[in-house]
Amino acid sequence: MKIYYFSPYDILRPRTNQVGDMRLCEGFVQNGCDVELIIPFVYRKDNIPKEKIREFYGLEDMFRIRYLKTWFTSDVSGKWMFSVMSLLNCLVFAGIMIRSWFSKEHVYIISRTPMLLRPFLLIRMAVPFFCRKIRIISWIHELKLSPAYRFVYKHADGVMGTNSSLTNDLIKVTGKPADKTCVTLNPISSAQLRDRPTKEEARKETGLNGCHPLIIYTGKIGTLYNKEIIHILEAAQLLPDYHFLFTGGKAEAINILKEWCEKRNVKNVKFTGYIPDYTKIKYYQSAADILVSYYTSQGHDVRYNFPNKICEYMLTGNVAITPDFPANRDVANRNNVLFAEPENSESLAATIRRAAENPELSKQLAQQALKDMQDMTFRVRCQIIVQFLKTL
């Protein structure tokens, strides 16, 4: 099976979306697929070396990567950059059309960005004869219902969603046939499942010995406009004897958050800053006593947003705390995580205290979470996805 995966994200600066794209591509390779990832090249001083991509993402099985030549110096954003991106992708699509004409098998085009697929669908509608062996699949992480998005959902051969809440509502709202949808989840990699550091190894690696209880958040770090971070900082303010640590974040964002802490005399919080080598994050997750994923409705639809870090947290053997949102329910439940009320700093602090003061409960939940993650890998999930693609 030949798969072309189109992404608008620059993989030479690893972040959450890039990690998800790379792991999905690796999962397809592990199921015998021929995969090519198409991405823009962005000129940055802090790009990781191309030859270290495998190392920085912790990949076991590699695939081809095609870098589209651009003059971009920052992430793809705004109409003009996206227009350039779409034009370059259409040139690649033209080549795929030609090659597919001589192929005996179908080829599959996948993207997590529906608007990248829209031009391909329009071209296919204009010249269907030349695209008869091309299947186009949208991998959605949220449900947007503008006419342009509805067009993609309707005309894509298949739609993959990261959770059941998302795909079920897609079916109800758009009328997409259920057999044209598939749930991917946001799994872990096979390497993550196998290479788990112990807490002792992780604390030695991170230099966090002596910090108890240690509450860790690994994810996006924004400024004061990031409500998720502020809720966790307010919980830290309510728990002055607990140690809080955040990984990630640009220097300017961290400086603003440090000023917030200083003004409120919050002294139990540390920030690591941006960590380019994503394989190092596992040491912080394993070093924790308690892991927090407390995303809010800001910038997300909590019915559909399923953070990558949920499954990573559940893999560590440490208890995880998260709100009980619909998108989580494919994997998170009261037997494997602790739920805190959403957008309530006092509830978050109380739940953290409950986890810390009830070590047997936390251990029981964490052990069940680890057990539940044993088959939650991209290798396993992509086997299901490949079978789905063959039906399209």
Side-chain angles (χ1 to χ4, degrees), residues 98-209:
I98 295 171
R99 286 189 294 275
S100 70
W101 180 258
F102 298 99
S103 174
K104 295 181 180 180
E105 299 180 347
H106 290 104
V107 298
Y108 298 84
I109 292 176
I110 303 175
S111 179
R112 71 157 64 222
T113 307
M115 289 302 96
L116 284 183
L117 298 176
R118 190 167 181 265
F120 303 163
L121 292 167
L122 290 169
I123 294 171
R124 189 171 70 173
M125 292 174 69
V127 288
F129 184 71
F130 294 100
C131 301
R132 68 185 191 280
K133 293 181 181 177
I134 295 176
R135 298 291 179 265
I136 298 175
I137 299 92
S138 181
W139 185 29
I140 59 174
H141 296 240
E142 56 187 339
L143 186 61
K144 295 185 177 181
L145 295 173
S146 69
Y149 281 86
R150 283 178 177 267
F151 173 87
V152 175
Y153 304 148
K154 178 180 178 180
H155 294 284
D157 297 288
V159 179
M160 308 188 310
T162 57
N163 58 84
S164 298
S165 177
L166 178 53
T167 55
N168 289 342
D169 280 3
L170 171 77
I171 294 166
K172 291 178 184 177
V173 175
T174 69
K176 191 74 176 178
D179 62 355
K180 301 298 181 183
T181 69
C182 174
V183 176
T184 67
L185 305 178
N186 271 332
I188 54 179
S189 69
S190 298
Q192 285 178 293
L193 180 62
R194 186 188 62 249
D195 302 328
R196 295 189 308 111
T198 65
K199 188 183 293 289
E200 292 71 24
E201 291 170 339
R203 293 225 165 185
K204 183 178 180 180
E205 175 73 20
T206 57
L208 292 171
N209 285 315

Side-chain angles (χ1 to χ4, degrees), residues 284-334:
Y284 289 95
Q285 293 172 342
S286 295
D289 294 309
I290 300 165
L291 291 157
V292 175
S293 174
Y294 199 68
Y295 64 102
T296 73
S297 59
Q298 181 192 41
H300 305 290
D301 189 323
V302 295
R303 293 172 297 173
Y304 309 131
N305 183 59
F306 177 23
N308 285 7
K309 58 180 170 282
I310 293 289
C311 288
E312 292 185 352
Y313 282 4
M314 294 174 69
L315 176 68
T316 63
N318 299 319
V319 67
I321 294 174
T322 184
D324 184 14
F325 290 140
N328 291 344
R329 292 173 188 163
D330 285 314
V331 298
N333 55 66
R334 297 189 183 280

Side-chain angles (χ1 to χ4, degrees), residues 233 237 254-269 271:
L233 289 176
Q237 188 177 17
I254 290 175
N255 288 337
I256 292 172
L257 294 173
K258 285 182 176 179
E259 289 178 7
W260 186 96
C261 292
E262 289 175 3
K263 288 180 180 178
R264 292 159 180 79
N265 198 33
V266 178
K267 299 180 180 180
N268 58 331
V269 174
F271 300 91

